[in-house]
């Protein structure tokens, strides 16, 4: 009986010490989490186009983490729907990983890998419906002022037959808040 009380007392002391030791480390983890979110910036793109029987809509949110003043890394999502009345419709969904490097404040170099699932459905019998994954690797350079950058990027994996883009060269306009 005396041994059981002693074990319970020792067990209680050990539990109390573990709680006392872990509490400050939990407080430190919360502080580190707050620091993490202070270095995250959000941006993205919204596109809307319509005309005579044509509609296109895009939603592409993204977020980057600033490791320091020169280097950022982030993730993005992309969703696009296109349709041309009595001709076709397409759905494009996917994601991307982007790295940004600022050798000086005004210059921004970027690398972005994008993987998109393309689903094309044609209303006529001339073209065959298509569903495939398309990778793109963009290398870019631009001029940056604060949280805004404008420049040009090039898709080094460009495939004229499969790409959703008309050309491997594409201008960009980035804003991260």
């Amino acid at each position: 009986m005396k041994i059981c009380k002693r074990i319970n007392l020792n067990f209680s002391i050990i539990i109390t010490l573990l709680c006392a030791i872990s509490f400050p480390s939990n407080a430190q983890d919360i502080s580190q989490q707050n620091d993490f979110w202070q270095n995250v910036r959000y941006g993205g793109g919204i596109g809307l186009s319509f005309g005579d029987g044509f509609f296109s809509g895009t939603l592409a949110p993204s977020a980057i983490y600033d490791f320091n003043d020169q280097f950022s890394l982030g993730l993005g999502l992309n969703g696009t729907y296109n349709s041309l009345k009595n001709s076709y419709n397409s759905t494009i969904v996917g994601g991307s990983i982007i790295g940004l490097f600022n050798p000086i404040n005004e210059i921004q170099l970027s690398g972005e890998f994008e993987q998109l699932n393309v689903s094309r459905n044609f209303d006529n019998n001339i073209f065959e419906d298509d569903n495939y994954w398309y990778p793109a690797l963009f290398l870019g350079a631009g001029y940056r002022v604060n949280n805004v950058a404008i420049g040009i990027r090039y898709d080094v994996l460009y495939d004229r037959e499969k790409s959703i883009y008309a050309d491997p060269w594409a201008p960009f306009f980035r804003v991260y808040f």
Side-chain angles (χ1 to χ4, degrees):
M1 184 79 157
K2 222 177 194 182
I3 294 174
C4 288
K5 285 183 183 179
R6 181 173 213 115
I7 291 173
N8 284 339
L9 179 62
N10 288 342
F11 184 72
S12 297
I13 291 171
I14 291 171
I15 294 296
T16 304
L17 286 173
L18 286 174
C19 288
I21 291 169
S22 68
F23 181 77
S25 67
N26 285 341
Q28 185 178 10
D29 289 344
I30 291 169
S31 172
Q32 288 174 349
Q33 288 175 355
N34 287 341
D35 289 345
F36 174 84
W37 290 110
Q38 289 175 356
N39 293 320
V40 174
R41 294 188 295 147
Y42 302 96
I46 297 174
L48 187 61
S49 177
F50 50 91
D52 187 24
F54 177 76
F55 172 80
S56 178
T58 298
L59 185 58
S62 64
I64 59 170
Y65 179 83
D66 293 327
F67 288 95
N68 54 40
D69 290 339
Q70 291 183 308
F71 183 69
S72 303
L73 188 65
L75 298 172
L77 297 174
N78 185 327
T80 300
Y81 177 78
N82 296 300
S83 70
L84 181 60
K85 187 176 182 180
N86 299 323
S87 183
Y88 78 94
N89 65 56
S90 68
T91 305
I92 302 161
V93 294
S96 64
I97 298 172
I98 187 168
L100 304 174
F101 177 66
N102 305 300
I104 60 174
N105 275 340
E106 294 79 16
I107 302 296
Q108 184 176 84
L109 304 176
S110 63
E112 181 175 8
F113 179 74
E114 182 177 71
Q115 184 74 29
L116 301 175
N117 180 265
V118 180
S119 177
R120 296 176 179 164
N121 300 307
F122 296 93
D123 295 340
N124 56 39
N125 293 331
I126 298 172
F127 298 105
E128 190 174 313
D129 291 352
D130 211 359
N131 190 332
Y132 59 92
W133 286 93
Y134 182 76
L137 178 60
F138 295 101
L139 301 178
Y143 178 73
R144 181 178 85 125
V145 176
N146 296 325
N147 62 341
V148 177
I150 187 168
I152 192 156
R153 64 186 191 165
Y154 181 78
D155 181 3
V156 297
L157 302 177
Y158 184 76
D159 177 352
R160 171 172 269 134
E161 300 298 319
K162 297 288 185 178
S163 179
I164 64 166
Y165 305 106
D167 195 77
W169 292 97
F172 67 80
F173 179 77
R174 291 188 188 110
V175 180
Y176 282 102
F177 302 98

